[in-house]
Amino acid sequence: MAVMGSLKLPVLLLPHPLILLPTARLTLPISRSIADAILSLLDDSDAVLAAIPLPAPDSPSEVTYGTAARIARLVRPRNQSSPTQPYLLSLHGIERIHFPSPIQIHQLMDILPVHNVVYPSSEGIPSRDTVEAFKHAALVLLDRLARDSPQPQRKDDWLRVAAIVEGISEQRAAWMADVLVAAVSPQYPDRLAFLAATDVEDRLHRATELFIKQSSIQEVSKKIASAVDESFSRQQKEYFLRQQLAAIQRELQSLQNFPASVGPGFGTGGSTSELDDDDQADADDLADLRRKIEALDVGSEERKVGIREWRRLKRIPQGSVENGVIRSYLEWLTSVPWPSNSTTTSLDVLKDHGFLTRARAQLDADHYGLDQIKRRLMEYLAVVRLRALADAGQTQAQGDTPSTDTSLGTMPTPPMKSKGVKGPILLFVGPPGTGKTSLGQSIAKALGRPFQRISLGGVRDEAEIRGHRRTYVASGPGSIVQALRKAGRNDPVILLDEVDKVGHSNFHGDPAAALLEVLDPEQNHSFNDHYINVPIDLSQVLFICTSNTLDTISAPLLDRCEVVELSGYTYDEKMHIAKRFLLPKQICANGLSDSQLTLTDDALLHVATMYTREAGVRSLERAIGAVVRFKAVEWAEWLDKGNGAVGGEGTAKQNENGNEKQDGNANENAVGKEWRAAVEPHELEKILGIPRWDGEERDREEKRGVVYGLVVTGMGEGGILPVESTALPGTGRLKLTGSLGDVIKESGEIALSWVKTHAFELGITAGRGVDPLKVPDVIDVHLHLPAGAQKKDGPSAGIAMICAFVSLLSGACVPKDIAMTGEITLRGRVTPVGGIRMKVLGAHRAQIRKVILPWANRKDVEHDVALEVRREMQFVFVRTIDEALEAAFGRGALGWRKETILLESRL
């Protein structure tokens, strides 16, 4: 380092973080003693002193570099507020100085001490590359400062400095670096390092780095400031508009309070609406929300989540979108019936000795029959009652136990919390109209629980069951949580309707798979809804599923359910249902009274047998409704003719001969025939038209090659189906028609093969091994099942096909009141089939008197078929085809040539 010269200068310590750079100007307050010392310097010398910066508290306390400064001004302002520093000193930086020996801070406690200083040499020319880099960095910074400057005068100053920098020479570059660094005022460490740079080349490098750094800081600061200003501007605008809206609403409300002063057509009569956007109502909602969160169990997961979201809600501005999202979530979270805020069945109700009796009476009052379902529900209610009584006894025993002395170090045992009885998962399977949905309502009424219905028909999105995640726009909880919120309790009865019609797996997910967790008693105690995202206990919920068929339900879902079949109603059950429920309901719905319309038992039976043919009672209710409406029209016309009271309050009573006459408030001047309230069977054709199924019942006849089988339709309804066969010239082949599936076609081929094999024993052929389709004439056999538009499949028509072939080839006929079902094998065995209850009820509706069934289905008849049906029909259970033929054609009707004995080996 070249030295220009050395001398002694008084030293002034600048307070932290002030630094005086060469070419810069600095003004600072000083005390009276320092001002007196400076005044003495002004008299004795050239008024130059050494200004050195005070080191930072965490840096070394010695000083090496400073700035030679000329005293520009020393004044005492009149409005100076500091009594300890009443003077202002202005210094102008001249040149860098260096102290040969470092100065310690404690050496500067005296007033302007004198120390030796050295002026470093400022000679030297920097390289062209260094100067160009310095100019580029300086111009970039100056351009950024000019663009960001809010004052036009300041912007012009930066632009003039930029013009000077562009034309600066290499000799003057170091001087310009001092000027610019002092102007932009970088951070204290950077300015201190720049002050210590005595070499010209090093000084320009440091200035270039400072300018680049300052440009980046300026750019980032500008972006942050713009974003903050934009956010503040938007919030201020929204706040201003909301305040204007509130003021307008207040003015409108004040106008509504004085409707007379504004003329007709304005105001609402002075009454305030609950839809008014009142700030107090919003505050009350928030306070209620807070009380609900505080009411949750301490330490529970739902309380932790609620508190966390509440704190987020208070930090977010009220008008923001996120505020509404969090508030909606908290409303859903607090509305779910958690164990802390949910009520269950009262213990006093369960302790009542008449609890089970009332429940059974409620079920009997709402539904006729259905003994199997009622028995299962009574089992569940008995278990609930016994479990509640046991838990109450255990709690009382714990309360009577004396408390343990805690001084011995043993803590008292807390009372155990009852987990309740897990609700069964019932699956009602049956055809439409059999009362599956209404049975769920009756169960809820008998249990004293709220009832909620969830329709799953057509549901194809998993989120409809488990909810949408909160990351989606307009997300919400699933149907399970919504049902719980509406119920207000954690043990409602939830009906999952049409579970067989739920959508299958697609790009939206698999709704049936989402139901696995809901309907699993081992998992649903911690059901996780995607929106709530807190485990919800569903173990106390009684789930009831309804379905028309089991074919479309997945095996894992079916395994979790307790299947209860509702096959259909008998005619006797339909009569009871019609008299107890359907007819009173239609009479009330059409404005009549019981005395104004009566349907005789014969008329009801005629409607059920001739105008409806279904397993349920919906068509029966529609037919009864048509009869009631017809009589309602007659009653209204009868009243209009002056035959009754004005209000229609006249009543019809029967006289001794059984005829009905008008009595009560009838008009004394009434002239005309008396009102007939009864509807007879012969009047139904005029009301309902020609019977729909009358022809099928009457046209059944005994004919060669025709046998009646039992079938189950796609909706679970049972019925009879004729199996027709005929012979025609051909090549000895079998032709099957009637929209038949592969299985039923195979049954037809098996039946013909068995008949061919046993043709000699049946007396069809004259010798063994003779094909009855080729001897004596070559013929084809055509087997047809009517209703060709309906798909048919299954093995249960095997017996009927064999009987049809035997009847066709032997000439014997099967009586028309006999129907049959059963699968056959080539060995001559008759194996069991399904749908026995539906088939038997269908045969009963079709007035079949004798039914042939497999022996293995005997238990199904005894268990599922009502006793009154079994009394009206004859059941023949067969093990072999020979027994089936004998039961169908009668003993001795077929000319058997050989008695076939079937031996069975059993280990």
Side-chain angles (χ1 to χ4, degrees), residues 790-827:
Q790 299 177 359
K791 299 293 183 180
K792 309 173 189 67
D793 204 359
S796 61
I799 291 182
M801 290 180 175
I802 281 186
C803 292
F805 290 147
V806 172
S807 175
L808 176 66
L809 297 177
S810 65
C813 296
V814 178
K816 63 180 180 180
D817 59 351
I818 296 179
M820 60 198 72
T821 183
E823 183 181 0
I824 59 174
T825 66
L826 288 176
R827 296 185 301 134

Side-chain angles (χ1 to χ4, degrees), residues 57 141 304 468 800 891:
L141 176 60
K304 294 178 181 177
H468 293 82
R891 184 179 296 274

Side-chain angles (χ1 to χ4, degrees), residues 65 79 179 220 225 227 251 311 382 420 484 520 563 593 661 811 826 857:
Y65 291 93
N79 57 351
V179 174
V220 174
E251 292 296 329
R311 291 173 178 172
L484 288 176
D520 192 346
V563 180
S593 62
K661 64 181 181 179
L826 288 176
N857 290 120

Side-chain angles (χ1 to χ4, degrees), residues 44 121 201 279 338 481 684 713 838 842 846 873:
D44 299 340
S121 175
E201 190 83 15
D279 295 338
W338 303 104
V481 175
L684 293 176
T713 63
M838 286 84 78
M873 302 177 67

Side-chain angles (χ1 to χ4, degrees), residues 229-248:
D229 291 342
E230 182 180 357
S231 177
F232 282 164
S233 176
R234 183 171 61 251
Q235 293 180 7
Q236 291 172 356
K237 182 178 180 180
E238 182 178 0
Y239 176 78
F240 178 72
L241 292 176
R242 288 185 181 276
Q243 292 298 321
Q244 283 186 330
L245 181 61
I248 293 173

Side-chain angles (χ1 to χ4, degrees), residues 222-279:
K222 181 62 177 178
K223 289 182 179 180
I224 295 175
S226 300
V228 173
D229 291 342
E230 182 180 357
S231 177
F232 282 164
S233 176
R234 183 171 61 251
Q235 293 180 7
Q236 291 172 356
K237 182 178 180 180
E238 182 178 0
Y239 176 78
F240 178 72
L241 292 176
R242 288 185 181 276
Q243 292 298 321
Q244 283 186 330
L245 181 61
I248 293 173
Q249 290 177 346
R250 286 193 296 269
E251 292 296 329
L252 289 176
Q253 187 174 359
S254 63
L255 292 177
Q256 290 174 359
N257 293 331
F258 303 97
S261 61
V262 294
F266 294 91
T268 59
S271 61
T272 60
S273 173
E274 60 182 3
L275 301 180
D276 292 339
D277 187 11
D278 190 5
D279 295 338

